[in-house]
PDB file of all heavy atoms in Angstrom:
ATOM      1  N   LEU B 305     -16.979  -8.344  -8.530  1.00 85.00           N
ATOM      2  CA  LEU B 305     -17.700  -7.729  -7.410  1.00 85.00           C
ATOM      3  C   LEU B 305     -16.729  -7.248  -6.364  1.00 85.00           C
ATOM      4  O   LEU B 305     -16.902  -6.233  -5.740  1.00 85.00           O
ATOM      5  CB  LEU B 305     -18.613  -8.736  -6.843  1.00 85.00           C
ATOM      6  CG  LEU B 305     -19.925  -9.030  -7.689  1.00 85.00           C
ATOM      7  CD1 LEU B 305     -20.729 -10.181  -7.069  1.00 85.00           C
ATOM      8  CD2 LEU B 305     -20.765  -7.790  -7.816  1.00 85.00           C
ATOM      9  N   VAL B 310     -14.070  -2.753  -3.544  1.00 95.00           N
ATOM     10  CA  VAL B 310     -12.908  -1.995  -3.021  1.00 95.00           C
ATOM     11  C   VAL B 310     -12.901  -0.566  -3.608  1.00 95.00           C
ATOM     12  O   VAL B 310     -12.707   0.384  -2.939  1.00 95.00           O
ATOM     13  CB  VAL B 310     -11.583  -2.744  -3.441  1.00 95.00           C
ATOM     14  CG1 VAL B 310     -10.357  -1.884  -3.116  1.00 95.00           C
ATOM     15  CG2 VAL B 310     -11.472  -4.039  -2.602  1.00 95.00           C
ATOM     16  N   GLU B 311     -13.130  -0.509  -4.927  1.00 95.00           N
ATOM     17  CA  GLU B 311     -13.162   0.821  -5.642  1.00 95.00           C
ATOM     18  C   GLU B 311     -14.260   1.715  -5.003  1.00 95.00           C
ATOM     19  O   GLU B 311     -14.086   2.876  -4.710  1.00 95.00           O
ATOM     20  CB  GLU B 311     -13.374   0.648  -7.104  1.00 95.00           C
ATOM     21  CG  GLU B 311     -13.259   1.965  -7.781  1.00 95.00           C
ATOM     22  CD  GLU B 311     -13.282   1.857  -9.306  1.00 95.00           C
ATOM     23  OE1 GLU B 311     -12.970   0.820  -9.851  1.00 95.00           O
ATOM     24  OE2 GLU B 311     -13.564   2.926  -9.953  1.00 95.00           O
ATOM     25  N   SER B 312     -15.429   1.144  -4.780  1.00 97.00           N
ATOM     26  CA  SER B 312     -16.532   1.864  -4.132  1.00 97.00           C
ATOM     27  C   SER B 312     -16.186   2.347  -2.786  1.00 97.00           C
ATOM     28  O   SER B 312     -16.509   3.506  -2.399  1.00 97.00           O
ATOM     29  CB  SER B 312     -17.808   0.978  -4.135  1.00 97.00           C
ATOM     30  OG  SER B 312     -18.854   1.638  -3.526  1.00 97.00           O
ATOM     31  N   HIS B 313     -15.547   1.493  -2.022  1.00 97.00           N
ATOM     32  CA  HIS B 313     -15.073   1.886  -0.660  1.00 97.00           C
ATOM     33  C   HIS B 313     -14.151   3.006  -0.679  1.00 97.00           C
ATOM     34  O   HIS B 313     -14.268   3.923   0.105  1.00 97.00           O
ATOM     35  CB  HIS B 313     -14.533   0.625   0.035  1.00 97.00           C
ATOM     36  CG  HIS B 313     -13.923   0.870   1.398  1.00 97.00           C
ATOM     37  ND1 HIS B 313     -14.669   1.140   2.524  1.00 97.00           N
ATOM     38  CD2 HIS B 313     -12.629   0.966   1.794  1.00 97.00           C
ATOM     39  CE1 HIS B 313     -13.907   1.321   3.546  1.00 97.00           C
ATOM     40  NE2 HIS B 313     -12.645   1.246   3.164  1.00 97.00           N
ATOM     41  N   PHE B 322     -10.572  13.544  -6.512  1.00 97.00           N
ATOM     42  CA  PHE B 322     -10.401  12.910  -7.810  1.00 97.00           C
ATOM     43  C   PHE B 322      -9.876  11.462  -7.589  1.00 97.00           C
ATOM     44  O   PHE B 322      -8.932  11.258  -6.867  1.00 97.00           O
ATOM     45  CB  PHE B 322      -9.349  13.691  -8.694  1.00 97.00           C
ATOM     46  CG  PHE B 322      -8.881  12.940  -9.892  1.00 97.00           C
ATOM     47  CD1 PHE B 322      -9.569  12.860 -10.985  1.00 97.00           C
ATOM     48  CD2 PHE B 322      -7.659  12.200  -9.804  1.00 97.00           C
ATOM     49  CE1 PHE B 322      -9.127  12.152 -12.119  1.00 97.00           C
ATOM     50  CE2 PHE B 322      -7.182  11.485 -10.887  1.00 97.00           C
ATOM     51  CZ  PHE B 322      -7.872  11.494 -12.086  1.00 97.00           C
ATOM     52  N   ARG B 334       3.513 -12.735 -15.335  1.00 80.00           N
ATOM     53  CA  ARG B 334       3.071 -12.416 -13.976  1.00 80.00           C
ATOM     54  C   ARG B 334       1.560 -12.236 -13.823  1.00 80.00           C
ATOM     55  O   ARG B 334       1.047 -12.154 -12.755  1.00 80.00           O
ATOM     56  CB  ARG B 334       3.733 -11.178 -13.476  1.00 80.00           C
ATOM     57  CG  ARG B 334       5.215 -11.315 -13.343  1.00 80.00           C
ATOM     58  CD  ARG B 334       5.897 -10.106 -12.919  1.00 80.00           C
ATOM     59  NE  ARG B 334       7.325 -10.336 -12.627  1.00 80.00           N
ATOM     60  CZ  ARG B 334       8.126  -9.426 -12.225  1.00 80.00           C
ATOM     61  NH1 ARG B 334       7.698  -8.168 -12.003  1.00 80.00           N
ATOM     62  NH2 ARG B 334       9.392  -9.703 -12.048  1.00 80.00           N
ATOM     63  N   PRO B 339      -4.550 -11.291 -11.739  1.00 82.00           N
ATOM     64  CA  PRO B 339      -5.067 -11.191 -13.096  1.00 82.00           C
ATOM     65  C   PRO B 339      -5.847  -9.862 -13.435  1.00 82.00           C
ATOM     66  O   PRO B 339      -5.869  -9.415 -14.485  1.00 82.00           O
ATOM     67  CB  PRO B 339      -5.930 -12.369 -13.300  1.00 82.00           C
ATOM     68  CG  PRO B 339      -6.177 -12.924 -11.954  1.00 82.00           C
ATOM     69  CD  PRO B 339      -5.095 -12.466 -11.056  1.00 82.00           C
ATOM     70  N   PRO B 348      -5.337  14.841  -4.117  1.00 98.00           N
ATOM     71  CA  PRO B 348      -5.499  15.547  -2.887  1.00 98.00           C
ATOM     72  C   PRO B 348      -6.942  16.130  -2.751  1.00 98.00           C
ATOM     73  O   PRO B 348      -7.600  16.321  -3.821  1.00 98.00           O
ATOM     74  CB  PRO B 348      -4.525  16.728  -2.981  1.00 98.00           C
ATOM     75  CG  PRO B 348      -3.498  16.292  -3.974  1.00 98.00           C
ATOM     76  CD  PRO B 348      -4.215  15.424  -4.931  1.00 98.00           C
ATOM     77  N   GLY B 349      -7.407  16.328  -1.581  1.00 97.00           N
ATOM     78  CA  GLY B 349      -8.737  16.870  -1.361  1.00 97.00           C
ATOM     79  C   GLY B 349      -9.054  17.100   0.039  1.00 97.00           C
ATOM     80  O   GLY B 349      -8.096  17.278   0.866  1.00 97.00           O
ATOM     81  N   ASP B 353      -3.946  16.157   1.841  1.00 95.00           N
ATOM     82  CA  ASP B 353      -3.352  17.003   0.803  1.00 95.00           C
ATOM     83  C   ASP B 353      -2.240  16.198   0.035  1.00 95.00           C
ATOM     84  O   ASP B 353      -1.501  16.744  -0.804  1.00 95.00           O
ATOM     85  CB  ASP B 353      -2.688  18.239   1.437  1.00 95.00           C
ATOM     86  CG  ASP B 353      -1.548  18.011   2.396  1.00 95.00           C
ATOM     87  OD1 ASP B 353      -1.316  16.746   2.656  1.00 95.00           O
ATOM     88  OD2 ASP B 353      -0.944  18.869   2.976  1.00 95.00           O
ATOM     89  N   TYR B 357      -2.524   5.902  -3.378  1.00 98.00           N
ATOM     90  CA  TYR B 357      -2.468   4.859  -4.402  1.00 98.00           C
ATOM     91  C   TYR B 357      -2.958   3.560  -3.700  1.00 98.00           C
ATOM     92  O   TYR B 357      -2.366   3.170  -2.731  1.00 98.00           O
ATOM     93  CB  TYR B 357      -1.064   4.653  -4.979  1.00 98.00           C
ATOM     94  CG  TYR B 357      -0.533   5.925  -5.648  1.00 98.00           C
ATOM     95  CD1 TYR B 357       0.024   6.877  -4.898  1.00 98.00           C
ATOM     96  CD2 TYR B 357      -0.670   6.049  -7.065  1.00 98.00           C
ATOM     97  CE1 TYR B 357       0.501   8.093  -5.519  1.00 98.00           C
ATOM     98  CE2 TYR B 357      -0.261   7.225  -7.644  1.00 98.00           C
ATOM     99  CZ  TYR B 357       0.326   8.193  -6.876  1.00 98.00           C
ATOM    100  OH  TYR B 357       0.795   9.399  -7.519  1.00 98.00           O
ATOM    101  N   GLY B 361      -7.543  -5.745  -6.317  1.00 90.00           N
ATOM    102  CA  GLY B 361      -7.268  -7.000  -7.012  1.00 90.00           C
ATOM    103  C   GLY B 361      -6.514  -8.020  -6.203  1.00 90.00           C
ATOM    104  O   GLY B 361      -6.575  -9.231  -6.473  1.00 90.00           O
ATOM    105  N   LYS B 368      -8.907 -15.686   1.687  1.00 90.00           N
ATOM    106  CA  LYS B 368      -9.140 -16.997   2.347  1.00 90.00           C
ATOM    107  C   LYS B 368     -10.381 -16.828   3.233  1.00 90.00           C
ATOM    108  O   LYS B 368     -10.379 -15.978   4.091  1.00 90.00           O
ATOM    109  CB  LYS B 368      -7.935 -17.434   3.137  1.00 90.00           C
ATOM    110  CG  LYS B 368      -6.752 -17.870   2.260  1.00 90.00           C
ATOM    111  CD  LYS B 368      -5.674 -18.505   3.044  1.00 90.00           C
ATOM    112  CE  LYS B 368      -4.669 -18.947   2.044  1.00 90.00           C
ATOM    113  NZ  LYS B 368      -3.360 -18.694   2.205  1.00 90.00           N
ATOM    114  N   LEU B 373      -6.223  -8.916   1.858  1.00 96.00           N
ATOM    115  CA  LEU B 373      -5.604  -7.616   1.927  1.00 96.00           C
ATOM    116  C   LEU B 373      -5.661  -6.817   0.655  1.00 96.00           C
ATOM    117  O   LEU B 373      -5.631  -7.466  -0.437  1.00 96.00           O
ATOM    118  CB  LEU B 373      -4.122  -7.728   2.421  1.00 96.00           C
ATOM    119  CG  LEU B 373      -3.847  -8.421   3.730  1.00 96.00           C
ATOM    120  CD1 LEU B 373      -2.347  -8.493   3.964  1.00 96.00           C
ATOM    121  CD2 LEU B 373      -4.500  -7.665   4.865  1.00 96.00           C
ATOM    122  N   GLU B 374      -5.586  -5.521   0.818  1.00 97.00           N
ATOM    123  CA  GLU B 374      -5.252  -4.593  -0.273  1.00 97.00           C
ATOM    124  C   GLU B 374      -4.229  -3.609   0.386  1.00 97.00           C
ATOM    125  O   GLU B 374      -4.052  -3.650   1.631  1.00 97.00           O
ATOM    126  CB  GLU B 374      -6.463  -3.810  -0.784  1.00 97.00           C
ATOM    127  CG  GLU B 374      -7.545  -4.655  -1.469  1.00 97.00           C
ATOM    128  CD  GLU B 374      -7.129  -5.234  -2.802  1.00 97.00           C
ATOM    129  OE1 GLU B 374      -6.046  -4.906  -3.365  1.00 97.00           O
ATOM    130  OE2 GLU B 374      -7.918  -6.069  -3.374  1.00 97.00           O
ATOM    131  N   GLU B 413      15.570  -0.488  -5.094  1.00 95.00           N
ATOM    132  CA  GLU B 413      16.096   0.805  -5.502  1.00 95.00           C
ATOM    133  C   GLU B 413      15.426   1.870  -4.611  1.00 95.00           C
ATOM    134  O   GLU B 413      14.510   1.557  -3.908  1.00 95.00           O
ATOM    135  CB  GLU B 413      15.813   1.045  -6.979  1.00 95.00           C
ATOM    136  CG  GLU B 413      14.317   1.072  -7.279  1.00 95.00           C
ATOM    137  CD  GLU B 413      14.051   1.105  -8.799  1.00 95.00           C
ATOM    138  OE1 GLU B 413      14.925   0.713  -9.606  1.00 95.00           O
ATOM    139  OE2 GLU B 413      12.964   1.531  -9.196  1.00 95.00           O
ATOM    140  N   PRO B 417      14.209   8.584  -7.020  1.00 94.00           N
ATOM    141  CA  PRO B 417      15.582   8.936  -7.150  1.00 94.00           C
ATOM    142  C   PRO B 417      16.089   9.915  -6.086  1.00 94.00           C
ATOM    143  O   PRO B 417      15.476  10.932  -5.852  1.00 94.00           O
ATOM    144  CB  PRO B 417      15.682   9.540  -8.556  1.00 94.00           C
ATOM    145  CG  PRO B 417      14.537   8.888  -9.326  1.00 94.00           C
ATOM    146  CD  PRO B 417      13.484   8.836  -8.292  1.00 94.00           C
ATOM    147  N   CYS B 421      15.001   5.851   1.273  1.00 97.00           N
ATOM    148  CA  CYS B 421      13.994   4.795   1.486  1.00 97.00           C
ATOM    149  C   CYS B 421      13.992   3.807   0.348  1.00 97.00           C
ATOM    150  O   CYS B 421      13.777   4.197  -0.800  1.00 97.00           O
ATOM    151  CB  CYS B 421      12.601   5.416   1.635  1.00 97.00           C
ATOM    152  SG  CYS B 421      12.422   6.588   3.053  1.00 97.00           S
ATOM    153  N   ASP B 422      14.336   2.609   0.665  1.00 97.00           N
ATOM    154  CA  ASP B 422      14.386   1.499  -0.353  1.00 97.00           C
ATOM    155  C   ASP B 422      13.703   0.238   0.099  1.00 97.00           C
ATOM    156  O   ASP B 422      13.948  -0.797  -0.532  1.00 97.00           O
ATOM    157  CB  ASP B 422      15.895   1.241  -0.745  1.00 97.00           C
ATOM    158  CG  ASP B 422      16.717   0.787   0.483  1.00 97.00           C
ATOM    159  OD1 ASP B 422      16.126   0.681   1.649  1.00 97.00           O
ATOM    160  OD2 ASP B 422      17.960   0.588   0.302  1.00 97.00           O
ATOM    161  N   SER B 427       2.060  -1.523   7.448  1.00 96.00           N
ATOM    162  CA  SER B 427       1.677  -0.993   8.757  1.00 96.00           C
ATOM    163  C   SER B 427       0.114  -0.656   8.695  1.00 96.00           C
ATOM    164  O   SER B 427      -0.488  -0.785   7.617  1.00 96.00           O
ATOM    165  CB  SER B 427       2.472   0.317   9.012  1.00 96.00           C
ATOM    166  OG  SER B 427       2.193   0.838  10.299  1.00 96.00           O
ATOM    167  N   PRO B 429      -2.869   1.890   8.359  1.00 95.00           N
ATOM    168  CA  PRO B 429      -2.992   3.106   7.558  1.00 95.00           C
ATOM    169  C   PRO B 429      -3.201   4.336   8.408  1.00 95.00           C
ATOM    170  O   PRO B 429      -4.288   5.013   8.434  1.00 95.00           O
ATOM    171  CB  PRO B 429      -4.168   2.834   6.639  1.00 95.00           C
ATOM    172  CG  PRO B 429      -5.090   1.915   7.357  1.00 95.00           C
ATOM    173  CD  PRO B 429      -4.133   1.075   8.236  1.00 95.00           C
ATOM    174  N   ARG B 438     -10.877  -0.856   6.949  1.00 95.00           N
ATOM    175  CA  ARG B 438     -11.905  -1.933   6.951  1.00 95.00           C
ATOM    176  C   ARG B 438     -12.835  -1.764   5.729  1.00 95.00           C
ATOM    177  O   ARG B 438     -13.552  -0.795   5.720  1.00 95.00           O
ATOM    178  CB  ARG B 438     -12.704  -1.929   8.229  1.00 95.00           C
ATOM    179  CG  ARG B 438     -11.886  -2.324   9.404  1.00 95.00           C
ATOM    180  CD  ARG B 438     -12.704  -2.467  10.706  1.00 95.00           C
ATOM    181  NE  ARG B 438     -13.299  -1.211  11.159  1.00 95.00           N
ATOM    182  CZ  ARG B 438     -12.733  -0.378  12.011  1.00 95.00           C
ATOM    183  NH1 ARG B 438     -11.560  -0.735  12.560  1.00 95.00           N
ATOM    184  NH2 ARG B 438     -13.297   0.739  12.377  1.00 95.00           N
ATOM    185  N   LEU B 452       4.511   1.799   3.785  1.00 97.00           N
ATOM    186  CA  LEU B 452       5.235   2.990   4.159  1.00 97.00           C
ATOM    187  C   LEU B 452       6.729   2.850   3.761  1.00 97.00           C
ATOM    188  O   LEU B 452       7.364   1.872   4.166  1.00 97.00           O
ATOM    189  CB  LEU B 452       5.205   3.128   5.683  1.00 97.00           C
ATOM    190  CG  LEU B 452       6.115   4.237   6.328  1.00 97.00           C
ATOM    191  CD1 LEU B 452       5.611   5.624   5.822  1.00 97.00           C
ATOM    192  CD2 LEU B 452       6.057   4.117   7.842  1.00 97.00           C
ATOM    193  N   ARG B 462      14.118  -2.524  13.248  1.00 97.00           N
ATOM    194  CA  ARG B 462      12.844  -3.196  13.480  1.00 97.00           C
ATOM    195  C   ARG B 462      13.136  -4.685  13.758  1.00 97.00           C
ATOM    196  O   ARG B 462      12.475  -5.325  14.684  1.00 97.00           O
ATOM    197  CB  ARG B 462      11.875  -3.028  12.353  1.00 97.00           C
ATOM    198  CG  ARG B 462      10.532  -3.758  12.613  1.00 97.00           C
ATOM    199  CD  ARG B 462       9.723  -3.881  11.350  1.00 97.00           C
ATOM    200  NE  ARG B 462      10.527  -4.551  10.319  1.00 97.00           N
ATOM    201  CZ  ARG B 462      10.160  -5.735   9.749  1.00 97.00           C
ATOM    202  NH1 ARG B 462       9.038  -6.313  10.093  1.00 97.00           N
ATOM    203  NH2 ARG B 462      10.887  -6.257   8.853  1.00 97.00           N
ATOM    204  N   VAL B 490      17.061   6.220  12.450  1.00 96.00           N
ATOM    205  CA  VAL B 490      18.182   5.478  13.116  1.00 96.00           C
ATOM    206  C   VAL B 490      19.459   5.709  12.406  1.00 96.00           C
ATOM    207  O   VAL B 490      19.484   5.987  11.226  1.00 96.00           O
ATOM    208  CB  VAL B 490      17.846   3.964  13.251  1.00 96.00           C
ATOM    209  CG1 VAL B 490      16.715   3.733  14.215  1.00 96.00           C
ATOM    210  CG2 VAL B 490      17.541   3.316  11.929  1.00 96.00           C
TER     211      VAL B 490
END
Side-chain angles (χ1 to χ4, degrees):
L305 287 173
V310 169
E311 184 172 341
S312 177
H313 174 75
F322 163 83
R334 297 179 173 180
D353 62 356
Y357 299 83
K368 290 191 173 132
L373 301 177
E374 296 289 353
E413 60 189 21
C421 296
D422 59 0
S427 186
R438 293 186 293 268
L452 172 65
R462 181 193 58 117
V490 292

